Amino acid sequence: MNGNGHHHDLNGNKLLDAKSKLGYEKMANLVTDAFDSVMKIDAQMDDPTPVKGYNFEGGVDYAKLFGSMRTTGLQASNFALAVDEINKMIECKLKKIDLDAPEVTESARRYQEVLDTLGKADDYYAQCQLTNCTIFLGYTSNMISSGVRESILFLAKNRMIDCIVTTTGGIEEDFMKCMAPSFMDKFEYDGVDSRLRGLNRIGNMYVPNDNYRLFESWLLDILDKMLDEQKENHTNWTPSKLIHRLGKEINHPESVYYWCYKNRIPVFCPAITDGAIGDTLFYHSFKRPGIKIDLVEDIQRMNSLPLFAVNTAAIILGGGTPKHHILNANCMRNGVNFSVFVNTGQYFDGSDSGAKPEEALSWAKIRLNATPVKIHCEASLVFPLLVAETFAKKYPLLDSIKSK
């Protein structure tokens, strides 16, 4: 017995009396029951896949590394699902047009008779059913600000996509980069100092003021020509026609929209005035008033693509206007057949940018039998890898349909 009146064994462990022992036994039984109740349900799994990542012991094999993402879990597995979804788009595109498939809309089946009428007035409508799957690519302007521009350029140059929707910055910065480069820096910077030095920040990149001056001077001259054509030829300019014209005028193989012009890929920008293009239009409207940009004709053009498409697919980087414009247009056919979304938006604020694909299902923006994929990630990291694992690998096959 120690000074506190408790009994201990030779090793100093406390000895329990009979009453205490009984209390501990009851407690042990209760704890055992609690543990058993937590795990009492036997696991029931249908075709389970073990979680397993890449083993670097065998060296670096990028094909196996990308393949291992399927079983890595978290967003790595969503990346693998997105690769599958894009490959489905490509496979569908490569198939012969099948208007007898049960999911094809009546509008798609009647396209030819509509084309016989509309096509005579506007040859744009001849582009509405070029292949078995019309692929829409949407992205926010920061994708063109960044090196993702070169991935998009590859797709446009080789006509692997059928339509682009972006914001104004995503248009003008492509042309600016043909005139002068933008530059890398850091995310941490002094905003006041940047302003005083004429450096416009985009994350860890910047665009000098000089680039905007070059672009705006170039655009003003083109707007003068467009106004002349509007007056003399009654040309009805729209945002997509403006972008098409700028792609022609830039005549530069490093421009995304030069290749869209060459390959007749329509580029829609419903918020065309929200940037340097809008600033230049504002200035031009006083310097030489008169030019008109028709949004209504562009919504006819945009919505006609999914309306008459046999199948549709959407790859959307970021949110905002490009995401909604593409999905809303596809309501014309009860939704896209295939879709991949890459963004960091969250659903809890009710924004369309962060909305889950399930929300788009409720609006008839995605087909009810579709398998949409969202990767929660910043797109500059993921999109070049997606292109590498899909379009780049299918390039010879896609090139064969482009040449047709």
Side-chain angles (χ1 to χ4, degrees):
M1 181 182 294
N2 63 14
N4 294 324
H6 297 299
H7 292 279
H8 291 76
D9 62 17
L10 295 175
N11 295 320
N13 297 318
K14 184 177 176 181
L15 296 174
L16 301 176
D17 57 29
K19 186 175 181 181
S20 296
K21 284 182 178 180
L22 181 61
Y24 268 80
E25 288 173 3
K26 289 181 178 180
M27 189 63 184
N29 290 334
L30 291 172
V31 171
T32 299
D33 290 343
F35 266 88
D36 290 344
S37 68
V38 172
M39 300 296 178
K40 69 180 180 180
I41 301 174
D42 293 334
Q44 301 174 36
M45 298 178 288
D46 298 322
D47 193 23
T49 301
V51 176
K52 187 176 178 63
Y54 182 74
N55 185 353
F56 285 95
E57 291 292 337
V60 180
D61 182 322
Y62 286 103
K64 291 181 179 178
L65 174 61
F66 283 123
S68 73
M69 290 186 176
R70 187 173 304 279
T71 58
T72 296
L74 305 178
Q75 295 309 302
S77 294
N78 279 12
F79 173 86
L81 293 174
V83 169
D84 290 345
E85 187 75 356
I86 294 174
N87 280 330
K88 288 178 190 175
M89 302 175 190
I90 296 170
E91 288 163 13
C92 184
K93 190 175 191 64
L94 291 169
K95 290 179 180 177
K96 184 180 178 182
I97 291 177
D98 181 9
L99 295 176
D100 295 324
E103 67 273 11
V104 175
T105 64
E106 185 63 20
S107 296
R109 291 194 178 100
R110 298 182 63 183
Y111 167 68
Q112 196 59 51
E113 63 182 84
V114 173
L115 180 62
D116 291 342
T117 304
L118 286 178
K120 293 175 182 176
D122 188 344
D123 65 356
Y124 169 82
Y125 290 96
Q127 302 177 72
C128 292
Q129 205 179 88
L130 292 177
T131 66
N132 196 53
C133 185
T134 301
I135 300 178
F136 294 83
L137 175 65
Y139 49 85
T140 45
S141 65
N142 53 341
M143 296 296 97
I144 293 294
S145 308
S146 73
V148 173
R149 173 182 180 242
E150 279 60 44
S151 297
I152 296 168
L153 175 67
F154 170 72
L155 300 181
K157 181 178 180 178
N158 295 288
R159 215 188 193 290
M160 296 178 179
I161 50 174
D162 300 285
C163 175
I164 287 175
V165 179
T166 188
T167 54
T168 311
I171 303 297
E172 59 206 23
E173 286 192 50
D174 174 69
F175 296 124
M176 275 189 252
K177 284 185 173 182
C178 295
M179 302 170 188
S182 21
F183 298 93
M184 291 298 306
D185 201 48
K186 296 177 288 188
F187 281 106
E188 297 76 27
Y189 56 84
D190 184 327
V192 173
D193 177 68
S194 296
R195 172 60 187 153
L196 294 175
R197 294 169 62 197
L199 306 179
N200 301 284
R201 298 286 181 168
I202 306 168
N204 60 349
M205 305 169 287
Y206 64 83
V207 183
N209 276 347
D210 304 17
N211 298 26
Y212 282 93
R213 283 194 286 266
L214 288 169
F215 172 74
E216 288 164 2
S217 175
W218 175 75
L219 179 56
L220 279 169
D221 289 341
I222 296 170
L223 291 176
D224 281 343
K225 297 175 188 176
M226 290 172 59
L227 180 56
D228 290 340
E229 291 170 30
Q230 177 183 299
K231 291 178 177 179
E232 295 167 11
N233 306 326
H234 306 289
T235 304
N236 189 52
W237 294 108
T238 71
S240 68
K241 290 180 185 178
L242 167 61
I243 297 161
H244 183 79
R245 177 60 173 269
L246 297 182
K248 176 184 178 181
E249 294 283 349
I250 197 66
N251 193 27
H252 198 299
E254 292 181 11
S255 165
V256 171
Y257 307 115
Y258 165 75
W259 288 108
C260 290
Y261 157 72
K262 292 279 284 184
N263 290 326
R264 298 198 68 192
I265 299 170
V267 181
F268 295 99
C269 183
I272 192 68
T273 56
D274 187 25
I277 291 175
D279 297 340
T280 310
L281 284 167
F282 171 72
Y283 175 66
H284 189 269
S285 70
F286 291 99
K287 177 176 174 282
R288 195 180 168 204
I291 197 160
K292 304 294 181 186
I293 307 292
D294 185 355
L295 291 177
V296 177
E297 184 180 341
D298 252 11
I299 200 62
Q300 290 178 329
R301 288 173 162 237
M302 175 65 187
N303 286 11
S304 293
L305 286 174
L307 179 67
F308 296 120
V310 185
N311 297 279
T312 61
I315 302 169
I316 303 176
L317 313 178
T321 299
K323 180 184 178 187
H324 189 267
H325 203 56
I326 289 172
L327 294 182
N328 190 66
N330 275 275
C331 289
M332 298 296 109
R333 60 184 309 279
N334 275 312
V336 292
N337 302 85
F338 313 98
S339 54
V340 167
F341 307 91
V342 183
N343 65 64
T344 56
Q346 299 297 321
Y347 65 89
F348 53 75
D349 59 3
S351 67
D352 182 72
S353 295
K356 295 179 180 180
E358 285 75 12
E359 185 171 306
L361 283 162
S362 77
W363 288 90
K365 295 173 180 176
I366 298 176
R367 288 280 177 105
L368 298 181
N369 61 349
T371 54
V373 180
K374 176 175 177 176
I375 307 176
H376 296 258
C377 187
E378 196 272 299
S380 71
L381 177 64
V382 167
F383 189 60
L385 301 179
L386 285 174
V387 172
E389 286 296 286
T390 56
F391 291 101
K393 287 186 174 180
K394 303 281 187 180
Y395 170 66
L397 291 171
L398 285 163
D399 192 52
S400 69
I401 65 167
K402 180 190 76 169
S403 62
K404 292 177 184 178

